[in-house]
């Protein structure tokens, strides 16, 4: 750099020059911006009064760069994440949760996630810096969502409220796991439409608060179905107006049930009630002993009503009509498993009264199984006008009779061990839709009777998929569209073997593992150890 020096510099002027030179060197990292002997560019009028050129402009501070983001850490894992560079999003007091235009139905979801993240809910206002915006729209699959993090904001959108809700679960879990939601875009959807938990509240009373805690847990795991088996031999656990005499001392009031249903709706969980018949009706028989089935020898098998007695159908139908009004969900479970009359070596010889009734109703070739199938179809006809999808256990479907189970009944497959319980493929080959409750992996039976062992999350995570319907062997992949999902089931055969708190703790990891495999049945990328640690980290 050339300077036109008119004379020696002294005192303050010399100090100022030294500071200016030091500043230039610092800004340029210690190196000049061009050759030392290069002339100053521009006209002479741009020079300083001393004849020196103007000091160079300082080099700008480099823009901060970020590594490509990683997928958020959640249970179940998201199915697709488009990585991006950026700081991601963290909850901050200046941010809040807002609802996009024409998305007012998301207010509940917005208030919930705002409270969980500790930021304000601002309602239907334009999104600002640091905000989380929820929006309805798009043409994705049911329960799908897109979660985009860009420019310091989060936008969660989906074609339905359930999908947006699941997007908020992803956000909540990611923040809980790492303190932030990574930059980029998540596109996510479930593999199966029915995903959930089944609880036997008949053999063991569970409080409304306990059931509500399970619903909250299910919502965070993106599970959407809670089966309530509330009638069995040991108890009838929901208050009844039509037949209060059958209700056990410990039971849920209808007000408690409505509270459970309200929370379930908020968390996008459908409650599937079950009144099992014609077996497992011991609590009803205790109040109406005239309904008890008796064999030719006078034996009275526990829980089995006499399906040749019209009074049996009347009381069950009364209860079906009453509770179908209480439960607004889209499903109803008719039971139909383990009817003792059909578990005899020769049902017609053991129960000649039923055999005679079958022939009288369905013709000379009819057998006891046809009378039982007719019972199932008649109960289905009672509930069908409500528009609910109807379900029954797989060992309530028989082959080779003159009466066939109604075609619209979904098979809830739990076992191949009972008489009449065929392997899964014959049901599927007939075109039946099926839900997987494989007793090898998904049955948590209190007290572990009859060779049952408490299932582990690890075994579900590493070995099971929705195609593994019976035992450990999957059905052919071509039947995958007919398998609508799965539920993990708690059965309280030896009710006092565990406390409700122990049950909740015992099913936590199996339920998390199930949630992963019904959301995405492909082999998980994370090891079981990593998955388990993450499941514990994001809980609650």
């Amino acid at each position: 750099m050339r300077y036109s020096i008119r004379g020696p510099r002294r005192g303050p002027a010399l100090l100022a020059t030294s500071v200016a030179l030091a500043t230039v060197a610092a800004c340029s990292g210690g190196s000049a911006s061009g050759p030392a002997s290069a002339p100053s560019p521009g006209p002479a009028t741009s020079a300083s009064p001393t004849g020196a050129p103007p000091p160079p402009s300082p080099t700008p501070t480099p823009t901060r760069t970020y590594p490509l983001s990683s997928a958020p850490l959640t249970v179940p894992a998201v199915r697709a994440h488009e990585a991006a560079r950026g700081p991601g999003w963290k909850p901050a007091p200046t941010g809040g949760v807002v609802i996009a235009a024409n998305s007012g139905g998301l207010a509940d979801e917005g208030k919930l996630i705002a409270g969980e993240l500790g930021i304000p809910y601002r309602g239907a206002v334009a999104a600002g810096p640091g905000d989380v915006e929820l929006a309805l729209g798009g043409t994705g699959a049911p329960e799908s969502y897109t979660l985009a993090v860009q420019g310091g904001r989060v936008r969660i959108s989906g074609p339905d409220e359930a999908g947006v809700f699941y997007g908020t679960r992803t956000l909540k879990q990611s923040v809980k796991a790492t303190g932030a939601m990574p930059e980029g875009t998540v596109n996510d959807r479930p593999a199966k439409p029915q995903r959930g938990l089944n609880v036997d509240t008949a053999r063991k009373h569970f409080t409304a608060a306990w059931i509500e805690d399970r619903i909250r847990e299910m919502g965070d795991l993106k599970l959407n179905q809670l089966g309530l088996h509330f009638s069995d031999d040991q108890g009838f656990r929901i208050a009844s107006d039509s037949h209060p005499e059958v209700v056990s001392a410990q039971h849920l009031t209808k007000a408690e049930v409505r509270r459970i249903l309200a929370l379930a709706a908020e968390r996008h969980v459908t409650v599937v009630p079950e009144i099992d018949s014609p077996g497992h009706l011991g609590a009803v028989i205790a109040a109406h002993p005239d309904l008890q089935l008796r064999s030719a020898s006078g034996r009275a098998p526990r829980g089995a009503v006499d399906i040749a007695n019209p009074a049996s159908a009347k009381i069950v139908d009364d209860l079906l009509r009453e509770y179908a009004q209480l439960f607004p969900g889209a499903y109803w479970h008719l039971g139909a498993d383990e009817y003792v009359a059909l578990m005899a070596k020769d049902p017609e010889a053991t129960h000649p009264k039923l055999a005679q009734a079958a022939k009288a109703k369905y013709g000379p070739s009819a057998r006891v199984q046809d009378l039982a199938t007719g019972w199932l179809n008649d109960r289905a006809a009672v509930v069908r006008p409500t528009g609910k999808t109807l379900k029954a256990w797989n060992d309530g479907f028989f082959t080779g009779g003159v009466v066939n189970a109604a075609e619209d009944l979904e098979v809830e497959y739990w076992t191949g061990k009972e008489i009449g319980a065929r392997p899964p493929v014959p049901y599927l080959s007939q075109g039946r839709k099926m839900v997987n409750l494989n007793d090898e992996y998904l049955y948590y039976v209190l007290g572990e009777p009859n060779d049952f062992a408490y299932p582990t999350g690890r075994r579900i995570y590493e070995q099971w998929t929705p195609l593994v319907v019976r035992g450990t062997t999957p059905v052919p992949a071509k039947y995958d569209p007919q398998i609508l999902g799965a539920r993990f089931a708690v059965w309280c055969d030896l009710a006092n073997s565990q406390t409700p708190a122990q049950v909740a703790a015992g099913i936590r990891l199996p339920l998390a593992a199930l949630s992963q495999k019904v959301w995405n049945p492909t082999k998980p990328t994370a090891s079981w150890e990593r998955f388990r640690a993450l499941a514990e980290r994001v809980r609650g």
Side-chain angles (χ1 to χ4, degrees), residues 306-332:
D306 180 358
I307 58 177
N309 183 350
S312 297
K314 182 182 183 306
I315 190 169
V316 172
D317 290 350
D318 287 345
L319 294 167
L320 290 174
R321 291 189 180 96
E322 177 180 1
Y323 292 107
Q325 297 304 313
L326 177 63
F327 290 93
Y331 302 94
W332 186 276

Side-chain angles (χ1 to χ4, degrees), residues 172-208:
K172 173 189 175 182
Q173 287 196 16
S174 180
V175 170
K176 198 168 184 65
T178 66
M181 182 71 201
E183 199 86 5
T185 302
V186 170
N187 287 293
D188 207 10
R189 61 179 176 82
K192 295 297 179 182
Q194 297 188 40
R195 314 175 301 278
L197 170 67
N198 214 72
V199 181
D200 171 12
T201 64
R203 295 182 178 93
K204 183 179 185 69
H205 175 62
F206 292 93
T207 66

Side-chain angles (χ1 to χ4, degrees), residues 269-489:
V269 173
T270 297
V271 177
V272 183
E274 179 193 359
I275 296 178
D276 202 349
S277 77
H280 296 282
L281 283 172
V284 172
I285 293 171
H288 295 272
D290 55 310
L291 305 182
Q292 174 68 58
L293 174 69
R294 297 186 182 277
S295 68
S297 64
R299 179 173 171 268
R302 186 180 188 188
V305 296
D306 180 358
I307 58 177
N309 183 350
S312 297
K314 182 182 183 306
I315 190 169
V316 172
D317 290 350
D318 287 345
L319 294 167
L320 290 174
R321 291 189 180 96
E322 177 180 1
Y323 292 107
Q325 297 304 313
L326 177 63
F327 290 93
Y331 302 94
W332 186 276
H333 204 308
L334 296 162
D337 66 311
E338 297 184 312
Y339 186 48
V340 176
L342 292 169
M343 298 169 72
K345 185 176 181 179
D346 186 345
E348 284 68 40
T350 305
H351 297 280
K353 180 182 175 183
L354 298 184
Q356 182 180 359
K359 293 178 186 296
K361 188 169 184 179
Y362 298 113
S365 299
R367 294 176 289 166
V368 174
Q369 73 170 55
D370 296 302
L371 194 66
T373 302
W375 169 280
L376 174 61
N377 289 343
D378 289 344
R379 307 294 76 76
V382 171
V383 182
R384 191 175 287 113
T386 66
K388 299 179 189 297
T389 296
L390 303 171
K391 300 171 172 287
W393 296 113
N394 66 287
D395 53 326
F397 293 78
F398 297 92
T399 187
V402 299
V403 182
N404 295 314
E407 293 182 358
D408 62 345
L409 297 179
E410 288 183 0
V411 178
E412 300 250 312
Y413 198 98
W414 70 282
T415 188
K417 300 171 185 174
E418 301 292 345
I419 293 174
R422 295 164 285 155
V425 169
Y427 299 85
L428 295 165
S429 64
Q430 294 171 354
R432 293 278 183 188
K433 294 179 179 178
M434 182 176 287
V435 177
N436 187 334
L437 290 98
N438 185 338
D439 63 354
E440 175 73 21
Y441 290 93
L442 306 180
Y443 260 37
Y444 191 96
V445 185
L446 266 61
E448 302 179 300
N450 302 321
D451 298 323
F452 280 109
Y454 292 130
T456 66
R458 181 172 196 156
R459 192 160 181 249
I460 295 168
Y461 186 77
E462 294 181 341
Q463 300 178 18
W464 178 86
T465 76
L467 289 175
V468 181
V469 180
R470 173 184 175 182
T472 60
T473 304
V475 301
K478 68 179 182 179
Y479 293 118
D480 183 68
Q482 289 172 243
I483 299 174
L484 302 179
R487 292 200 307 280
F488 185 85

